[in-house]
Amino acid sequence: MTNDSNTENSTTYQTTCNPEEESVSEELISAVAALNDAEPAELAVLSNFIDPEALDALFGPRSSGIPRTTDGQVQFKYDSYTVQVETDGTITLHEPESATSEN
């Protein structure tokens, strides 16, 4: 995971996964756990913010196994982060400065 930028208002972290072979929701949980030096079970429940199965289905291969060929992204709030997931498996986490200074 990389710390891409640190602006006056937020800190941005980025990681990637292969949505055709990996679960986007599991990679997201792993990334947030690493950022917070916590176990995944200690984090807020992802399904309170977004449906993890729908997130995985949106970026994973079609039920026929054929990879998706469209470009897209979804953005949502997860705990103190604004999360953006892109078709290529890029997961970007924006953390407001106020949350960064509390950690």
Side-chain angles (χ1 to χ4, degrees), residues 36-74:
N36 288 288
D37 194 27
E39 293 295 320
E42 297 172 326
L43 301 176
V45 178
L46 183 59
S47 62
N48 289 342
F49 300 87
I50 193 167
D51 182 337
E53 290 179 13
L55 182 64
D56 291 339
L58 184 61
F59 294 100
R62 297 181 178 134
S63 59
S64 64
I66 298 171
R68 298 190 186 274
T69 57
T70 57
D71 289 331
Q73 64 184 23
V74 65

Side-chain angles (χ1 to χ4, degrees), residues 9-28:
N9 299 325
S10 69
T11 301
T12 302
Y13 304 94
Q14 196 168 66
T15 190
T16 59
C17 71
N18 181 347
E20 293 179 26
E21 299 175 3
E22 302 171 280
S23 164
V24 173
S25 61
E26 289 178 13
E27 180 61 30
L28 169 62

Side-chain angles (χ1 to χ4, degrees), residues 76-88:
F76 58 95
K77 293 291 241 175
Y78 174 58
D79 204 20
S80 65
Y81 298 93
T82 299
V83 178
Q84 181 172 309
V85 181
E86 299 180 41
T87 308
D88 68 358

Side-chain angles (χ1 to χ4, degrees), residues 5 48 90 94 97:
S5 66
N48 289 342
T90 301
H94 300 279
E97 186 61 39

